[in-house]
Amino acid sequence: MLKIALRSLLNRRLTVALAVLTVALSVLLLVGVERLRSEARSSFANTVSGTDLIVGARTGSVQLLLYSVFRVGNATNNIDWDSYQKLAQDRRVAWTIPVSLGDSHHGFAVLGTTGDYFKYLRYSENSALQFNQGVPFSKTNDAVLGANVATKMSYRLGQNIVLTHGSGEGAMSEHTDQPFTIIGILAPTGTPVDDTVHVSLDGLTAIHEGWESGSASLLSSTGVLAADQDRALPPPSSITAFYVGLKSRTAIFSYQRAVNQYADESLMAIMPGVALSELWQLMRIAEQALTVVSGFVLVIGLMGMLTALLTGLNERRREMAILRSVGARAWQIFALVMGETLLLVSAGITTGIALLYAMLLACRPILREVYSLNIAIAAPSTTEWLLMGLTLLAGCLIAALPAWRAYRMSLSDGLSPH
């Protein structure tokens, strides 16, 4: 029966190829959406690893996460430097990473921080930042670029760059008086780090001297700000937020409570994992909508295949009658049609998965560079295997109708003229 089924399919190869392609495209969309959904969630979860708390001005936990980690939006307020110092010196704290945001460079966020950023920041299951070229900043006007910044702008070590006061639509004048020198380029991480220009807090303090009113006003007679690399700079008056690593994870809730009840300023501390879960819940509607649309596409594809099977079955009445006349039983005809349909669906699933992996290989660099989404080329997950199994089961159910019709056809029905 298998040999007959294969020869029958080959004899109708054009119709069969179209049916296989329909199922393949449906499976490609269904499993592809699931892969993107799971990898996007994993990418979000791996953006910050090993950080116990993030502290910022009191606002929503998701908003604090968005501007401090993903560089999206702006802080409602800054943290006074003295408050940061007091909280950082708490006996429960192992390390802190201060971050100061607000400036930009050709649309990329500029982040002011300290050398502890490169020492303690972790991503993707406790992976440390690595340098493709150069070293961390050590001087006031040194800059370290994320991988995407260097690639998209074609920057090299030793080049000078100029930062812009403000970001997005709020960007104003450029700090042309104090260019920064690129001394390091980070390896790709698949996180917002790739789209960030990193400078020291001293560097941000220096370039903003005289910009209290929003533009340069304290220029010397030569047109250069008074700040330079050779003199001691005062600490910044404030920072945007800071990351906290604690000596013991059991101290998370007590330290969080201490920050939330801090008397000198209105501050809040969030756990990145909890805030990421809240953020993902906000995106859940869009995620479910994509899955539903993919499911409908699969149903439409299978219905199209059913239509082709029923149409073809009407044209194969004589074939079925001849098989009956040479000794084939009704149940064997039923098995033949079921087998052909399962072969079609299996070939469609296999083709769809092959197309998915081909697209992932082709689009992976684009997804990583443009969307900071690192898609793993791995074996299908349990959920993906389940989706493929459900597709095969749906194919069995679809095949039952034409198989039953073939089963019910009589010998005289196929041999009599119509």
Side-chain angles (χ1 to χ4, degrees):
M1 294 301 291
L2 179 61
K3 186 176 180 180
I4 294 173
L6 290 173
R7 289 197 172 187
S8 177
L9 291 174
L10 287 173
N11 189 53
R12 296 176 286 116
R13 49 186 169 272
L14 179 59
T15 304
V16 167
L18 291 175
V20 168
L21 182 60
T22 300
V23 176
L25 293 177
S26 302
V27 171
L28 168 64
L29 183 60
L30 183 65
V31 180
V33 167
E34 169 59 26
R35 176 63 64 92
L36 286 175
R37 184 198 66 81
S38 60
E39 291 297 331
R41 186 166 191 169
S42 176
S43 181
F44 267 77
N46 290 333
T47 302
V48 179
S49 177
T51 296
D52 294 315
L53 294 166
I54 298 175
V55 179
R58 184 160 297 172
T59 180
S61 57
V62 173
Q63 184 180 357
L64 174 54
L65 179 78
L66 285 174
Y67 72 71
S68 63
V69 175
F70 295 98
R71 329 286 194 245
V72 176
N74 298 299
T76 56
N77 206 350
N78 282 346
I79 302 174
D80 187 78
W81 180 257
D82 292 334
S83 297
Y84 161 67
Q85 292 282 65
K86 290 177 183 178
L87 292 169
Q89 292 168 6
D90 190 286
R91 58 182 176 80
R92 292 164 289 193
V93 174
W95 53 263
T96 60
I97 301 173
V99 296
S100 186
L101 298 161
D103 285 4
S104 63
H105 175 70
H106 293 290
F108 295 103
V110 172
L111 183 145
T113 185
T114 64
D116 287 341
Y117 180 89
F118 307 104
K119 184 177 180 181
Y120 294 114
L121 188 69
R122 297 290 185 271
Y123 70 98
S124 184
E125 299 181 358
N126 215 33
S127 300
L129 297 178
Q130 302 291 331
F131 278 79
N132 261 351
Q133 302 176 54
V135 294
F137 48 69
S138 58
K139 296 181 180 179
T140 302
N141 286 60
D142 288 345
V144 173
L145 306 185
N148 289 348
V149 181
T151 301
K152 293 177 181 178
M153 302 300 296
S154 301
Y155 283 148
R156 302 184 306 276
L157 295 183
Q159 282 188 265
N160 288 340
I161 60 173
V162 174
L163 307 187
T164 303
H165 191 69
S167 60
E169 295 180 356
M172 295 182 290
S173 304
E174 293 185 334
H175 296 287
T176 53
D177 50 282
Q178 296 228 19
F180 283 75
T181 303
I182 301 170
I183 67 158
I185 297 174
L186 294 169
T189 64
T191 71
V193 171
D194 296 343
D195 298 302
T196 304
V197 177
H198 306 86
V199 299
S200 67
L201 288 176
D202 283 347
L204 287 186
T205 300
I207 64 174
H208 286 111
E209 283 190 337
W211 288 74
E212 289 78 2
S213 62
S215 59
S217 57
L218 299 180
L219 297 175
S220 68
S221 58
T222 60
V224 179
L225 290 178
D228 59 59
Q229 291 190 155
D230 298 325
R231 68 178 179 85
L233 291 164
S237 59
S238 63
I239 57 174
T240 305
F242 64 94
Y243 301 170
V244 180
L246 299 172
K247 295 176 182 177
S248 171
R249 295 188 65 85
T250 58
I252 288 178
F253 294 108
S254 62
Y255 186 80
Q256 184 181 35
R257 185 166 55 253
V259 172
N260 293 341
Q261 296 174 354
Y262 188 67
D264 295 347
E265 275 190 86
S266 181
L267 303 177
M268 71 177 298
I270 63 169
M271 289 183 283
V274 175
L276 281 167
S277 297
E278 293 179 14
L279 177 59
W280 196 255
Q281 288 298 321
L282 294 176
M283 302 171 62
R284 193 171 183 82
I285 296 176
E287 173 192 356
Q288 291 175 339
L290 281 174
T291 303
V292 169
V293 170
S294 302
F296 277 122
V297 169
L298 177 61
V299 170
I300 292 170
L302 291 174
M303 293 302 294
M305 186 182 70
L306 173 61
T307 303
L309 287 171
L310 290 173
T311 303
L313 185 62
N314 191 52
E315 298 171 353
R316 297 173 64 195
R317 286 167 47 245
R318 185 174 296 275
E319 175 190 339
M320 298 301 176
I322 293 173
L323 289 173
R324 293 292 304 276
S325 68
V326 296
R329 298 183 179 182
W331 69 266
Q332 290 177 314
I333 300 298
F334 181 90
L336 174 64
V337 177
M338 285 290 293
E340 288 181 1
T341 307
L342 290 179
L343 284 173
L344 283 176
V345 176
S346 299
I349 292 173
T350 304
T351 305
I353 296 300
L355 288 173
L356 173 63
Y357 279 93
M359 289 184 64
L360 288 178
L361 285 170
C363 299
R364 193 182 183 194
I366 299 172
L367 291 172
R368 184 174 60 243
E369 292 178 11
V370 178
Y371 300 103
S372 295
L373 187 60
N374 200 9
I375 304 294
I377 307 297
S381 65
T382 303
T383 304
E384 291 168 356
W385 280 116
L386 179 60
L387 290 174
M388 287 185 276
L390 289 174
T391 302
L392 191 60
L393 178 60
C396 290
L397 296 176
I398 289 293
L401 180 57
W404 176 253
R405 286 197 61 188
Y407 175 84
R408 297 290 295 172
M409 283 180 180
S410 64
L411 179 61
S412 60
D413 177 66
L415 295 178
S416 60
H418 287 275

